[in-house]
Amino acid sequence: MQLKNPILGLCQQATFMLSAAKVDQCPDDEGFEVAFAGRSNAGKSSALNTLTHASLARTSKTPGRTQLLNFFQLDDERRLVDLPGYGYAKVPIPLKLHWQRHLEAYLGSRESLKGLILMMDIRHPMTDFDLLMLDWAIASQMPMHILLTKADKLTYGAAKNTLLKVQSDIRKGWGDAVTIQLFSAPKRMGLEEAYVVLAGWMELEDKAPAE
Ligand SMILES: Nc1nc2c(ncn2[C@@H]2O[C@H](COP(=O)(O)OP(=O)(O)OP(=O)(O)O)[C@@H](O)[C@H]2O)c(=O)[nH]1
Ligand SMILES: [Mg+2]
């Protein structure tokens, strides 16, 4: 399938906008925003970079790298946000509380937030924090799509089995509004599926070519 969706072009022209340490430093709360959330080291920044064909977000072998909300602009009214990872044990407690407060303030107040992409390392899915995020998304009626990242670390069969298992657990616990897919940044696996979700949330219809 050839994706003609304009989301592709927009992602390719994504630019870094700003980093916010608190909610009042975020860009104006208008238009369409999609945030990338997940446990520290789950692959949020890598997924964002892969989807935007750029090295916009800083990735790291040291978990807890992304300490601010980083905004990337797609066009005048659309943005992607790289959120700080949660659950990294070695981050000092005051800093942890600081992030948690600001993350909660952001999630709880952001009108332009149209959906959350939740990254889970396929080898460690459904951490306690992931379950909290799922609870929060359902309670706030926030659309959520899960990327099982680092799928390249397993054989295709094992990755597929994990996908089916996690999908079934999510359906049982949270219903079928939450969608899920496999993803790998180095193999560029799962890009089209993710673009379709982003395009839907950002109200970018798949336009047929002009006759
Ligand atoms: N093999 C493989 N490695 C990945 C993949 N995605 C991320 N990684 C690696 O996992 C590590 C963490 O990736 P990041 O993208 O920085 O993770 P993050 O969730 O943004 O981490 P924080 O910002 O610290 O919360 C890096 O060493 C990445 O290269 C993937 O799909 N496959
Ligand atoms: Mg990061």
Side-chain angles (χ1 to χ4, degrees), residues 23-57:
V23 171
D24 61 15
Q25 297 167 347
C26 292
D28 288 347
D29 194 3
E30 318 168 324
F32 304 82
E33 207 158 271
V34 172
F36 286 61
R39 190 176 189 278
S40 193
N41 208 42
K44 296 173 293 298
S45 302
S46 301
L48 225 143
N49 283 338
T50 308
L51 289 162
T52 56
H53 306 276
S55 298
L56 292 170

Coordinates of all heavy atoms in Angstrom, one line a residue, residues 23-57:
V23 N 4.5 23.5 32.5 CA 3.4 23.7 31.6 C 3.2 25.1 31.1 O 2.9 25.3 29.9 CB 2.0 23.2 32.3 CG1 0.8 23.6 31.5 CG2 2.1 21.7 32.5
D24 N 3.6 26.1 31.9 CA 3.4 27.5 31.4 C 4.4 27.9 30.3 O 4.4 28.9 29.8 CB 3.3 28.5 32.5 CG 4.5 28.5 33.4 OD1 5.6 28.0 33.0 OD2 4.4 29.1 34.5
Q25 N 5.4 27.0 30.1 CA 6.4 27.2 29.0 C 6.0 26.5 27.7 O 6.7 26.6 26.7 CB 7.8 26.8 29.5 CG 8.3 27.6 30.7 CD 9.5 26.9 31.3 OE1 9.9 25.8 31.0 NE2 10.2 27.7 32.2
C26 N 4.9 25.7 27.8 CA 4.5 25.0 26.6 C 4.0 26.0 25.5 O 3.6 27.1 25.8 CB 3.4 24.1 26.9 SG 3.9 22.7 27.9
P27 N 4.0 25.6 24.2 CA 3.5 26.5 23.2 C 2.0 26.7 23.5 O 1.4 26.0 24.2 CB 3.6 25.7 21.9 CG 4.6 24.5 22.2 CD 4.5 24.3 23.7
D28 N 1.4 27.7 22.8 CA 0.0 28.0 23.0 C -0.8 26.7 22.8 O -0.5 25.9 21.9 CB -0.5 29.0 21.9 CG 0.1 30.4 22.3 OD1 0.6 30.6 23.4 OD2 0.0 31.3 21.4
D29 N -1.8 26.6 23.6 CA -2.6 25.3 23.7 C -3.7 25.4 22.6 O -4.9 25.5 22.9 CB -3.2 25.2 25.1 CG -3.7 23.8 25.3 OD1 -3.6 22.9 24.4 OD2 -4.3 23.6 26.4
E30 N -3.3 25.3 21.3 CA -4.2 25.3 20.2 C -3.8 24.3 19.2 O -2.7 23.9 19.1 CB -4.2 26.7 19.5 CG -4.0 27.9 20.3 CD -3.7 29.1 19.6 OE1 -2.9 29.1 18.6 OE2 -4.2 30.1 20.0
G31 N -4.8 23.9 18.4 CA -4.5 23.0 17.3 C -4.4 21.6 17.8 O -5.2 21.1 18.6
F32 N -3.5 20.8 17.2 CA -3.4 19.3 17.4 C -2.1 18.9 18.0 O -1.0 19.2 17.3 CB -3.6 18.6 16.1 CG -4.9 19.0 15.4 CD1 -5.0 20.1 14.6 CD2 -6.0 18.2 15.5 CE1 -6.1 20.4 13.9 CE2 -7.2 18.5 14.9 CZ -7.2 19.6 14.1
E33 N -2.1 18.2 19.1 CA -0.8 17.8 19.6 C -0.9 16.3 19.9 O -1.9 15.8 20.4 CB -0.6 18.5 21.0 CG 0.9 18.7 21.3 CD 1.0 19.9 22.3 OE1 1.1 21.0 21.9 OE2 0.9 19.6 23.5
V34 N 0.2 15.6 19.6 CA 0.2 14.1 20.0 C 1.5 13.9 20.8 O 2.6 14.4 20.4 CB 0.3 13.2 18.7 CG1 0.5 11.8 19.1 CG2 -1.1 13.3 18.0
A35 N 1.4 13.3 22.0 CA 2.5 13.2 22.9 C 3.0 11.7 22.9 O 2.2 10.8 22.8 CB 2.1 13.6 24.3
F36 N 4.3 11.6 23.0 CA 5.0 10.3 23.1 C 5.4 10.0 24.5 O 6.2 10.7 25.1 CB 6.2 10.3 22.2 CG 5.9 10.2 20.7 CD1 5.1 11.2 20.1 CD2 6.3 9.1 19.9 CE1 4.8 11.1 18.8 CE2 6.0 9.0 18.6 CZ 5.2 10.0 18.0
A37 N 4.7 9.0 25.1 CA 4.9 8.8 26.5 C 5.5 7.3 26.7 O 5.4 6.5 25.8 CB 3.6 8.9 27.3
G38 N 6.0 7.1 27.9 CA 6.5 5.7 28.2 C 7.6 5.7 29.2 O 8.1 6.7 29.6
R39 N 7.8 4.5 29.7 CA 8.9 4.3 30.6 C 10.2 4.8 30.1 O 10.4 4.8 28.9 CB 9.0 2.8 30.9 CG 9.8 2.5 32.1 CD 9.7 1.0 32.3 NE 10.3 0.6 33.5 CZ 11.6 0.5 33.7 NH1 12.4 0.6 32.6 NH2 12.2 0.2 34.8
S40 N 11.1 5.2 31.0 CA 12.4 5.7 30.6 C 13.1 4.6 29.8 O 13.0 3.4 30.2 CB 13.2 6.0 31.8 OG 14.3 6.7 31.5
N41 N 13.7 4.9 28.7 CA 14.5 4.0 27.9 C 13.6 3.1 27.0 O 14.1 2.2 26.3 CB 15.3 3.1 28.8 CG 16.6 2.6 28.0 OD1 17.2 3.4 27.3 ND2 16.9 1.3 28.2
A42 N 12.3 3.4 27.0 CA 11.4 2.5 26.1 C 11.6 2.8 24.6 O 11.2 1.9 23.8 CB 9.9 2.7 26.5
G43 N 12.2 3.9 24.3 CA 12.4 4.2 22.9 C 11.5 5.3 22.3 O 11.3 5.4 21.1
K44 N 11.1 6.2 23.2 CA 10.2 7.3 22.8 C 11.0 8.2 21.8 O 10.4 8.5 20.7 CB 9.8 8.2 24.0 CG 9.0 7.5 25.0 CD 8.7 8.3 26.2 CE 10.0 8.6 27.0 NZ 10.6 7.4 27.6
S45 N 12.2 8.7 22.2 CA 12.9 9.6 21.3 C 13.2 8.9 20.0 O 13.2 9.6 18.9 CB 14.1 10.2 22.0 OG 13.8 10.8 23.2
S46 N 13.6 7.7 20.0 CA 14.0 6.9 18.8 C 12.8 6.8 17.9 O 12.9 7.0 16.7 CB 14.5 5.5 19.2 OG 15.6 5.6 20.0
A47 N 11.6 6.5 18.5 CA 10.4 6.4 17.6 C 10.1 7.7 17.0 O 9.8 7.8 15.8 CB 9.2 5.9 18.5
L48 N 10.2 8.8 17.8 CA 9.9 10.1 17.2 C 10.9 10.5 16.1 O 10.5 11.0 15.0 CB 10.1 11.1 18.3 CG 9.0 12.2 18.4 CD1 8.7 12.5 19.9 CD2 9.4 13.4 17.7
N49 N 12.1 10.1 16.3 CA 13.1 10.4 15.2 C 12.8 9.6 14.0 O 13.0 10.1 12.9 CB 14.5 10.1 15.7 CG 15.1 11.2 16.6 OD1 14.6 12.3 16.6 ND2 16.0 10.8 17.5
T50 N 12.4 8.3 14.2 CA 12.2 7.5 13.0 C 11.0 8.0 12.2 O 11.0 8.0 11.0 CB 12.0 6.0 13.5 OG1 13.0 5.7 14.3 CG2 11.9 5.1 12.3
L51 N 10.0 8.4 13.0 CA 8.7 8.9 12.3 C 9.0 10.2 11.6 O 8.3 10.5 10.6 CB 7.6 9.0 13.3 CG 7.0 7.7 13.8 CD1 6.3 7.9 15.1 CD2 6.2 7.0 12.7
T52 N 9.9 11.0 12.1 CA 10.2 12.3 11.5 C 11.4 12.3 10.5 O 11.7 13.3 10.0 CB 10.4 13.4 12.5 OG1 11.5 13.0 13.4 CG2 9.2 13.6 13.4
H53 N 12.0 11.1 10.4 CA 13.2 11.0 9.5 C 14.2 12.0 9.9 O 14.9 12.6 9.0 CB 12.8 11.3 8.0 CG 11.7 10.4 7.5 ND1 11.9 9.1 7.1 CD2 10.4 10.6 7.5 CE1 10.8 8.6 6.8 NE2 9.8 9.4 7.0
A54 N 14.3 12.3 11.1 CA 15.3 13.3 11.5 C 15.9 12.9 12.9 O 15.4 12.0 13.5 CB 14.7 14.7 11.6
S55 N 16.9 13.6 13.3 CA 17.5 13.3 14.6 C 17.1 14.5 15.5 O 17.9 15.2 16.0 CB 19.0 13.1 14.6 OG 19.3 12.0 13.8
L56 N 15.8 14.7 15.6 CA 15.3 15.8 16.4 C 15.4 15.6 17.9 O 15.8 16.5 18.6 CB 13.8 16.1 16.0 CG 13.6 16.6 14.6 CD1 12.1 16.5 14.3 CD2 14.1 18.0 14.4
A57 N 15.0 14.4 18.3 CA 14.9 14.1 19.7 C 16.2 13.4 20.1 O 16.7 12.6 19.4 CB 13.7 13.2 20.0

